[in-house]
Each structure stands twice: as C-alpha cells, then as structure tokens.
Amino acid sequence: MATYKIKGQRYLRKYTEKGTSPVYAASVQAQKIVDTFCEVPWTRTGVDSAQMTYHTEEIVDEDRKITGLEMNVDIRDRFDAALFCAGHSGGMHRAYANAAVYRYTMPDDAIGKTLVSLAARVTSDPYNSEGARLHVFTNSTGEIPMNCHVLRGESAAGELIEDGTTAAAVAKRTEKIVGKETYWYPTTETCTLRPVDPSTSTSNLNLKKYLFLVVALESYSTVRGNWLEGCSFIANSVEIETSAAIDGLSETDLNNLFDPEQGFVVYDGHHPTIPSGMPTGEISLTVRRDGDLLIEEDGSQAPVELDVSDVAAVCRLYGEFVQGKSSVVNSDGAYRPKGAVFAVSPVTEEHVMRESDRPTPVDVLRIDASVLVIPTVFPAGSKQIRIDHDGLSLPDGAFFSIYLAPDFMTGLKEDALRDYRLYRGEREGITLLGKITAGKLTRFDIPKHTPVGSIVIAGYVPPEICPQSFNAPVTTGSTPFNPIVTII
C-alpha cells in the first residue's frame, strides 16, 4: 500500500438562466436547473482552489459598489458546487448553478494499480441543508462525461450505486437549537470513498491515465422561499491510497497532477475594468425590418411597410455596418467586459414614428457585437497561445477571429470597433493569428516574442447565413465567448 496527496485541475459546469424570472418562482427555476444541467458543457478554469459563495446584500467591493450577491457572478469560477441567484430588481432575479470535476493526470506507472481509497475535506455553507455529492471514477481519455447520472454515481433511475465510489449528503450544514431558535453553521468533514466490488468486498477500481472527482450539490432543487442558495467545496488536496507504490509520486509532498501542459493562464473570464469614457468593446446598429432606417439622414421617416421579408433589412443593416455607422458604447468607469459575441436579432422596440408623436412598437433588425481584448504579458520563451473553448457551437459560416496586438490595452478605440474588417478577420495594424469555427481547443503560434501585448477576439455572422425571414437571432452564441487563454 502507498498513500499520496494530490492536487487536480478544476473543471466547472456553469448554468446561467437565459433571462430573469420572478423571485417567487425560485422552485421553478431550480427544477429547470435539474432538467437542463446535463446540457451545460464543462470548462477548464485557471482558478485552482474553491471557496464559499457570498450571502449578503451589503456592498463587498467599495470601488465598484457591488453587493455580495452580485459578486458571486463575477467570482463563480471560485465555486465548486453552488446554487445562487443575482440581479435582483423589480421582483425579478436570475438563477445560477455550479458543479465541479477535479481531474488528476496520473503518472504512467499508476495505470493498472488499484485505488483503495480517496479522502477529501468537504465544506458546506450554512445554507446547504442537503450537503454535497462526491463521485470518483477513472478513464484513459481525459474526457468528462456529460450525463448527470454517470457523474453523480447513480443508476439511470437516479438511485445511488453503492460500490464505494459515491458518497451522498456529505457535510450537511450544522444546525443547533438554542432555546426555541435554530441556528445554522458551516460544516467541514473528511469524506473517504472506498471503491469495492460488492460481490467480493475487495477494491476494484483499477487506475487509468486520468482520475476524476465530482463535487456536486446533493440537491439542486432545494430552495428557501424566494432564494436559491447553498454551496459545498473541497480542498484541492485529496489523499489517495493505492495498492502499490507509484513511480513519479512523492509520499511526502503535495503532488500537482494538473494537465501536463501547464502554461501561463492569462484569461479565465475575468477582465480589468474599462476606464471611464473609453469604449467598452460593444457596438450596435438598428434598421427597420422593412429595410428603412428609423430616421433617414435628412431627418425624414418613411411609412412602415408591414408583412415583408427581412431581405432588404439584412442588406441595409450590413450596408450600414460596412460603412462604419455602428454606435459605440462607452464605459461609466465600472464596466468589465463579458466576452465576445456577434448577433443579428429581430426585436420590437419603442420609437417615435411619423404615424405617432408618442413611442410606438416598431419591428427592427439589430446587430449587437462585443469585442474581447485581453491584455497580457508573455513569459520569456513563449511559443503558443492556447485557447480552450469547450462547448463552442457556431452556426455554419460564423467564426471568431483571433488577433495579436503589440500594445498592452484593455480595449479598442472607436475607429477600430466601427471597422467591419475587424469582425471579418481583415483588420490591418494587428496580426491575425487565425479563426475558430468549432472544436474544444485551438493553438496559435506567437509570430515573434514580445514582453507585452493584447489578444483580440471578435466574432462574425456573415449576411449570407441570415434567413430571409427571422424568427430567432443568428448569433455566435447564446452567451458571450469567454475561453480560457493560456500562454505556452
């Protein structure tokens, strides 16, 4: 027998409600999470240790005037298993959920040896009444399954598979009764998983190249009134016992079993704020769905034509876009970019029209785009930029252009953002590294060494893939593109 402490690479499944919902529908939102969580892709994070979520409506960031509930959205890569809500306004909020997988890349000498036990220190906050679910498994591909039953160590019917690889309801919150009051406290406990063959009561989990530990909530459907809440996390130092010693692992030190290619993570979804008055990277452009502008250049307004196709509108919209007539959004001093996106959407907006001196509903077609600029430093000897983009799903013909600019900058100037060539991968003055259209990971060679620079990511939906009649947006993604970016 041999015992080792190991540290793994964290992967997260992050659910974000598409819109907002009434706070009184929290239980409905939670059930939607249960029903759709398996569809959410796994993404690698550069954050290697987890923490509890905030549960306060008080300001926790004085500079940005952000409450704890809002801060949860910004720092969600620090959460393992979590259920929370944010964006509270007018009786509405948005639901979020996290689950985590720790992946350990084992030395070749581990392959075929038996995992006798795995012990993890688990902490749950005072709002997690059901505790955590842990499950350990191994494979030779490194791929994380999508199926929730498989990940949670359940049968297809959702029943716990009692082979020692799974633990349910771990570290439920601590409840203490004082007088007539019940008080809640966090709980920390060590959970030990002992894989066994039920028929022989002996260890039967033979290690392969990759070892995985799932950290999820025991229940994602448990809510308290209008609140979605509760989290659990593990210390990224688990102890394993194996049937025999493993060459390449230390029995005295913490073994870092991250992905073999470490690199320097320069972007994991968090971006510096854009200074006040500077462009945020967002542009927009609007035309009426009959192909006319809301207000022509001479100030006139053509009568609205009803029941027409969107062909004229698409041509007019992209014509204005190519001519650099997009509107640019400027920062208020607290803006933090959310990622890259390009969307063409049918929308109904309120505008003053010639038929009425009051705002009236008008069907329009919009381009909304956001460019992501990642300022970075390049370690000496850097050769490649690696972009991890699990779950990317683009319509045929759409793409993201990846550029390298020589300057350290948090955003682009207005002339660059209005330049259609930026989005088509044709912008001059910065180096186009290539385009991303599909897959999970893309590498680009760094043309020459530079101590600082900026990675620029711009999406594009070409006009020819737009339908003649819109019934839904055509977009590079329902959520902005926020890959993990690593310098190798």
Side-chain angles (χ1 to χ4, degrees):
M1 298 285 189
T3 302
Y4 306 98
K5 289 185 178 180
I6 59 175
K7 181 178 182 179
Q9 172 66 59
R10 295 176 66 241
Y11 287 81
L12 297 176
R13 171 171 271 174
K14 297 182 287 188
Y15 171 93
T16 301
E17 186 179 6
K18 290 185 178 179
T20 57
S21 298
V23 295
Y24 57 71
S27 60
V28 176
Q29 297 161 343
Q31 187 58 50
K32 180 67 177 296
I33 292 170
V34 173
D35 293 341
T36 61
F37 210 15
C38 293
E39 302 168 8
V40 179
W42 290 98
T43 58
R44 182 179 183 272
T45 176
V47 180
D48 66 359
S49 61
Q51 67 173 65
M52 288 184 190
T53 53
Y54 282 101
H55 292 277
T56 177
E57 295 183 83
E58 300 296 323
I59 299 293
V60 296
D61 186 327
E62 289 293 342
D63 293 335
R64 299 167 60 202
K65 303 300 180 186
I66 292 180
T67 68
L69 297 179
E70 301 307 312
M71 180 65 82
N72 285 334
V73 179
D74 278 4
I75 64 172
R76 67 183 304 185
D77 275 15
R78 302 181 194 175
F79 308 148
D80 279 348
L83 189 64
F84 59 101
C85 48
H88 296 82
S89 178
M92 308 288 280
H93 66 183
R94 176 174 280 121
Y96 299 84
N98 270 30
V101 164
Y102 286 74
R103 187 173 85 171
Y104 310 91
T105 303
M106 305 299 291
D108 289 342
D109 189 57
I111 298 172
K113 291 174 180 174
T114 301
L115 179 69
V116 177
S117 68
L118 181 149
R121 191 169 79 251
V122 185
T123 298
S124 296
D125 71 5
Y127 299 88
N128 185 359
S129 61
E130 302 299 319
R133 170 68 67 97
L134 303 186
H135 177 57
V136 62
F137 65 96
T138 186
N139 70 30
S140 57
T141 65
E143 292 291 324
I144 302 174
M146 293 290 289
N147 186 281
C148 288
H149 290 310
V150 171
L151 288 162
R152 292 173 61 87
E154 298 172 337
S155 68
E159 298 170 345
L160 177 66
I161 299 173
E162 298 190 7
D163 60 0
T165 62
T166 307
V170 178
K172 291 184 179 181
R173 73 180 178 209
T174 297
E175 298 185 3
K176 293 183 180 180
I177 300 175
V178 180
K180 295 183 179 180
E181 297 291 331
T182 300
Y183 295 89
W184 301 339
Y185 301 93
T187 299
T188 297
E189 65 181 51
T190 297
C191 174
T192 301
L193 299 167
R194 300 184 185 277
V196 295
D197 182 338
S199 63
T200 63
S201 298
T202 59
S203 238
N204 71 339
L205 187 64
N206 293 325
L207 291 169
K208 298 179 182 178
K209 183 62 180 175
Y210 299 94
L211 180 68
F212 301 85
L213 179 61
V214 178
V215 184
L217 293 182
E218 182 59 39
S219 172
Y220 284 90
S221 61
T222 300
V223 300
R224 180 174 62 93
N226 295 339
W227 297 97
L228 296 104
E229 59 188 12
C231 73
S232 295
F233 66 94
I234 68 166
N236 196 358
S237 171
V238 304
E239 186 173 281
I240 61 170
E241 184 179 5
T242 58
S243 58
I246 298 174
D247 288 342
L249 293 186
S250 167
E251 292 194 62
T252 56
D253 299 326
L254 176 62
N255 295 275
N256 186 340
L257 301 185
F258 277 24
D259 297 340
E261 184 179 63
Q262 288 295 299
F264 174 44
V265 177
V266 297
Y267 183 74
D268 61 2
H270 184 77
H271 191 287
T273 55
I274 303 293
S276 181
M278 295 296 292
T280 63
E282 297 180 7
I283 65 164
S284 63
L285 191 64
T286 303
V287 302
R288 288 178 4 196
R289 290 186 70 172
D290 60 7
D292 286 316
L293 300 180
L294 289 166
I295 301 177
E296 301 292 342
E297 292 185 2
D298 62 3
S300 65
Q301 289 181 308
V304 175
E305 299 236 3
L306 302 175
D307 300 323
V308 296
S309 74
D310 292 310
V311 172
V314 170
C315 290
R316 187 65 178 269
L317 184 67
Y318 278 85
E320 298 288 303
F321 175 67
V322 168
Q323 294 177 74
K325 296 184 179 180
S326 302
S327 297
V328 175
V329 179
N330 287 331
S331 170
D332 59 2
Y335 183 85
R336 201 178 293 275
K338 304 302 181 184
V341 69
F342 193 105
V344 185
S345 310
V347 182
T348 300
E349 299 176 340
E350 297 279 334
H351 292 282
V352 175
M353 302 301 294
R354 59 178 283 168
E355 294 86 359
S356 172
D357 59 358
R358 295 182 178 181
T360 185
V362 182
D363 291 334
V364 301
L365 206 59
R366 291 177 58 97
I367 285 178
D368 292 285
S370 176
V371 176
L372 179 61
V373 179
I374 303 168
T376 185
V377 294
F378 292 87
S382 301
K383 296 181 179 179
Q384 286 189 326
I385 297 172
R386 187 181 78 191
I387 298 182
D388 291 88
H389 45 87
D390 269 6
L392 181 67
S393 179
L394 293 171
D396 289 344
F399 54 85
F400 285 101
S401 297
I402 314 298
Y403 295 92
L404 180 60
D407 303 314
F408 188 95
M409 54 189 180
T410 57
L412 298 178
K413 295 181 179 179
E414 289 192 17
D415 63 336
L417 292 171
R418 288 196 175 99
D419 187 349
Y420 73 97
R421 295 172 297 179
L422 173 70
Y423 306 89
R424 296 193 346 180
E426 302 166 355
R427 172 73 178 178
E428 297 177 355
I430 55 178
T431 302
L432 177 68
L433 300 179
K435 298 178 181 179
I436 294 176
T437 59
K440 295 184 177 182
L441 182 151
T442 308
R443 301 170 187 269
F444 298 104
D445 291 334
I446 299 173
K448 60 181 180 179
H449 178 69
T450 175
V452 298
S454 297
I455 299 163
V456 179
I457 303 178
Y460 187 60
V461 171
E464 61 269 22
I465 71 171
C466 293
Q468 292 189 354
S469 293
F470 276 81
N471 53 29
V474 180
T475 175
T476 53
S478 57
T479 58
F481 184 50
N482 268 303
I484 304 295
V485 180
T486 307
I487 306 299
I488 306 300

